[in-house]
């Protein structure tokens, strides 16, 4: 089914984000793959039908056709059904993964990408898919030629009859299982590798894991049994198998039905020991957790630095209501010392004291909320409420820059799922930059903050200034660490903003609008139906 003119595995990269495509391409180039690129679902389907790639790295969040729809159409077409679809997304919840696997996806890689993870997963799936295709082709060839080829493959391979008895084993199977090929022949696969016979019809396997079939089947059966008895292809990772000496090891296997003359005669099983791979994945996960921890620390440090810059303004904000409270209290004391105090006037004065107290308390609350460490987990947020609170927090900067901030939220904008503290940090950073840029150009036009639907799964928030615009080389430099156009800037603001937004499952960037100024934008995922705080 593959393009016979190509001697290299073909990998199709599908993402509507040009930066993501560039990262994937740079990660996989010069590694022995033929790389194809598509920036939307229709192009991906067309390329897949022409070239039959072994592996398709498929972004979920795309306009028009999303990744789920593309995967469903790939699996429905016999010409592309056997390609390994690896989903790419910043969505890291269980439901998103389960939906991808239910549509035939083979794997899942979370954004932001880790180069070693992409290389390892692509290599694994490319080898497996090539092996499956090779097996399908060689099943039509002479038995002697088939055996000779299979013997050279590093993954373990079994040929099983309908009862699960081992009729063929390649040398790699013997090496992994800890015995010779001769000793494997005639053994029952289920009794040898699971230390129990396959369940009869109606019985359930009591093991810790159950097999995941590609076409559905009884989850109570032992792995591979549905392939042998029902002709259902299977694929499972991290299933426990046993060696001849009784020791256990984690394995990944694929089971393909074996047919002769249209009749099911058993299964071909390809398996491998993934002990080292799981250890590497754990090390990668530990490294990812460390990166997240460092990012959270950097975000907190950035907020503290921002508060340092804004300290004088907020001191003034708190001092005003405190001064008013003092004056109203003096007035109240003078009224109380009169012979006949006016109760109505006293009540009004005390109400003013209470109002000013709430005003001071609100300023302190916003400061404390902004500088505290991010809460664990994401929340369902009202976009309008979050932006209005951010605007209030930017009032001091607006006065200092002789400007203002206008908020516009489209009526159809739904709630989003994100960390409120981190999103507010990004929004405040962009608004403060916009106010400073507008003032530097001598303009008093208010900064515009607008929220609208980008597609049915994404909300986009734009922050537009009226400054002098961005330099020509902004695309190459603006989001790089330590690049800044401010005399006293550290150059971590926009870099941190990008990191925080990507952690929410969104994207960040900028545009040059008609006329003066610049537009910085970021996106957030829409809250799924039924999810509440």
């Amino acid at each position: 089914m593959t393009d016979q003119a190509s001697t290299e595995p073909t990998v199709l990269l599908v993402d509507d984000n040009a930066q993501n495509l560039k990262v994937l391409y740079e990660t996989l180039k010069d590694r022995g793959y033929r790389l194809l690129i598509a920036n939307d679902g229709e192009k991906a389907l067309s390329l897949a039908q022409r070239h039959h790639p072994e592996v398709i790295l498929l972004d979920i969040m795309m306009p028009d056709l999303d990744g789920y729809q593309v995967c469903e159409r790939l699996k429905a077409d016999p010409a592309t059904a056997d390609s390994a679809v690896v989903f790419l997304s910043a969505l890291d919840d269980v439901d998103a993964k389960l939906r991808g696997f239910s549509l035939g996806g083979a794997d899942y890689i979370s954004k932001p990408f880790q180069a070693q993870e992409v290389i390892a997963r692509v290599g694994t799936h490319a080898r497996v898919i090539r092996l499956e295709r090779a097996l399908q082709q060689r099943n039509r060839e002479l038995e002697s030629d088939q055996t000779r080829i299979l013997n050279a493959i590093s993954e373990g391979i079994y040929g099983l009859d309908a009862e699960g008895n081992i009729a063929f084993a390649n040398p790699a199977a013997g090496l992994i299982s800890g015995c010779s090929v001769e000793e494997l022949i005639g053994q029952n696969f289920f009794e040898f590798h699971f230390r129990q016979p396959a369940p009869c019809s109606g019985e359930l396997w009591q093991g810790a894991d159950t097999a995941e079939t590609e076409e559905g089947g009884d989850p109570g059966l032992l792995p591979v049994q549905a392939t042998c008895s029902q002709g259902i292809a299977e694929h499972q990772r991290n299933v426990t198998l046993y060696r001849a000496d009784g020791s256990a090891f984690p394995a990944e296997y694929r089971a393909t039905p074996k047919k002769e003359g249209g009749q099911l005669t058993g299964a071909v099983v390809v398996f491998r020991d993934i002990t080292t791979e799981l250890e590497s994945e754990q090390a990668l996960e530990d490294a990812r957790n460390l990166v997240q921890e460092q990012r959270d620390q950097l975000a907190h440090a950035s907020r503290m630095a921002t508060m340092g810059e804004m300290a004088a303004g907020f001191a003034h904000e708190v001092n005003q209501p405190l001064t008013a409270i003092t004056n109203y209290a003096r007035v109240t004391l003078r009224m109380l010392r009169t012979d006949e105090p006016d109760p109505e006037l006293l009540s009004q004065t005390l109400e003013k004291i209470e109002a000013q107290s709430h005003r001071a308390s609100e300023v302190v609350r916003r400061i404390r909320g902004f500088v505290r460490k991010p809460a664990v987990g994401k929340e369902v947020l009202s976009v309008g409420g979050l932006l209005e609170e951010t605007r209030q927090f930017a009032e001091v900067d607006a006065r200092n820059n002789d400007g203002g901030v206008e908020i516009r939220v489209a009526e159809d904008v739904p709630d989003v799922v994100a960390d409120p503290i981190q999103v507010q940090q990004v929004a405040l950073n962009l608004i403060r930059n916009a106010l400073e840029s507008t003032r530097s150009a001598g303009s008093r036009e208010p900064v515009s903050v607008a929220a609208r639907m980008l597609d049915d799964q994404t909300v986009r928030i734009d922050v537009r200034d009226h400054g002098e615009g961005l330099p020509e080389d902004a695309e190459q430099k603006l989001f790089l660490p330590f690049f800044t156009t401010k005399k006293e800037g550290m150059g971590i603001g926009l870099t941190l903003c990008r990191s925080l937004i990507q952690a929410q499952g969104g994207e960040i960037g900028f545009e040059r609008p008609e006329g003066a100024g610049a537009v910085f934008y970021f996106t957030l995922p829409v809250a799924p139906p039924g999810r509440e705080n």
Side-chain angles (χ1 to χ4, degrees), residues 61-92:
M61 304 291 287
M62 295 190 298
D64 299 327
L65 286 177
D66 64 21
Y68 296 131
Q69 294 170 309
V70 173
C71 180
E72 190 170 17
R73 288 173 58 174
L74 287 169
K75 294 303 177 180
D77 186 348
T80 57
D82 68 338
S83 295
V85 175
V86 179
F87 284 108
L88 308 172
S89 179
L91 299 176
D92 200 28

Side-chain angles (χ1 to χ4, degrees), residues 126-404:
R127 287 196 305 271
V128 172
I129 295 302
R130 282 222 145 183
L131 179 58
E132 289 180 337
R133 292 176 176 178
L135 288 176
Q136 293 174 9
Q137 176 66 25
R138 284 159 177 77
N139 280 339
R140 297 187 288 267
E141 298 175 353
L142 295 174
E143 184 69 26
S144 59
D145 186 41
Q146 181 187 53
T147 302
R148 177 174 53 83
I149 294 172
L150 294 180
N151 285 347
I153 295 175
S154 59
E155 284 84 356
I157 300 173
Y158 287 133
L160 308 181
D161 64 19
E163 286 71 40
N165 297 314
I166 300 173
F168 169 83
N170 71 338
L175 184 64
I176 296 172
S177 301
C179 60
S180 67
V181 171
E182 291 74 16
E183 292 173 320
L184 286 171
I185 301 300
Q187 295 255 26
N188 183 272
F189 172 81
F190 304 107
E191 295 179 0
F192 182 86
H193 279 299
F194 295 103
R195 295 295 187 264
Q196 59 181 296
C200 298
S201 177
E203 295 181 359
L204 296 180
W205 175 40
Q206 300 300 318
D209 298 314
T210 56
E212 174 186 310
T213 61
E214 296 179 357
E215 301 176 11
D218 187 347
L221 298 177
L222 280 171
V224 184
Q225 190 188 4
T227 308
C228 290
S229 61
Q230 303 173 31
I232 299 175
E234 297 180 29
H235 172 219
Q236 189 177 2
R237 190 170 185 272
N238 200 12
V239 61
T240 300
L241 300 183
Y242 289 91
R243 299 184 181 89
D245 61 6
S247 61
F249 65 96
E252 179 178 17
Y253 78 87
R254 287 180 182 267
T256 304
K258 184 173 62 175
K259 297 182 179 181
E260 293 180 6
Q263 296 296 317
L264 179 64
T265 61
V268 174
V269 181
V270 180
F271 70 105
R272 61 192 185 90
D273 185 342
I274 59 171
T275 301
T276 302
E277 186 174 314
L278 291 179
E279 292 173 351
S280 298
E281 289 179 359
Q282 184 59 50
L284 184 62
E285 181 64 22
D286 292 343
R288 186 183 294 113
N289 292 337
L290 178 60
V291 169
Q292 180 62 44
E293 181 181 346
Q294 292 174 340
R295 178 168 57 193
D296 291 343
Q297 292 174 352
L298 180 60
H300 185 63
S302 176
R303 287 196 299 278
M304 295 301 294
T306 300
M307 288 308 306
E309 297 171 6
M310 301 167 68
F314 278 108
H316 178 69
E317 285 286 289
V318 175
N319 191 54
Q320 281 186 327
L322 291 179
T323 301
I325 289 170
T326 300
N327 292 334
Y328 287 136
R330 289 171 179 169
V331 169
T332 302
L333 289 173
R334 284 199 300 271
M335 286 190 291
L336 289 173
R337 292 187 182 113
T338 62
D339 294 336
E340 297 182 359
D342 185 343
E344 180 65 24
L345 186 58
L346 279 172
S347 177
Q348 293 176 359
T349 306
L350 290 173
E351 288 175 355
K352 291 178 181 179
I353 291 175
E354 181 184 20
Q356 292 297 324
S357 298
H358 282 305
R359 178 184 172 189
S361 176
E362 181 64 16
V363 173
V364 174
R365 184 194 65 81
R366 292 206 307 267
I367 295 173
R368 292 181 63 186
F370 184 69
V371 301
R372 77 176 189 264
K373 284 184 179 280
V376 177
K378 300 174 183 178
E379 303 175 9
V380 176
L381 307 174
S382 165
V383 175
L386 186 69
L387 293 180
E388 175 58 28
E389 185 176 354
T390 307
R391 185 196 67 77
Q392 294 175 10
F393 206 71
E395 286 179 351
V396 174
D397 279 284
R399 286 196 295 271
N400 291 342
N401 288 281
D402 298 322

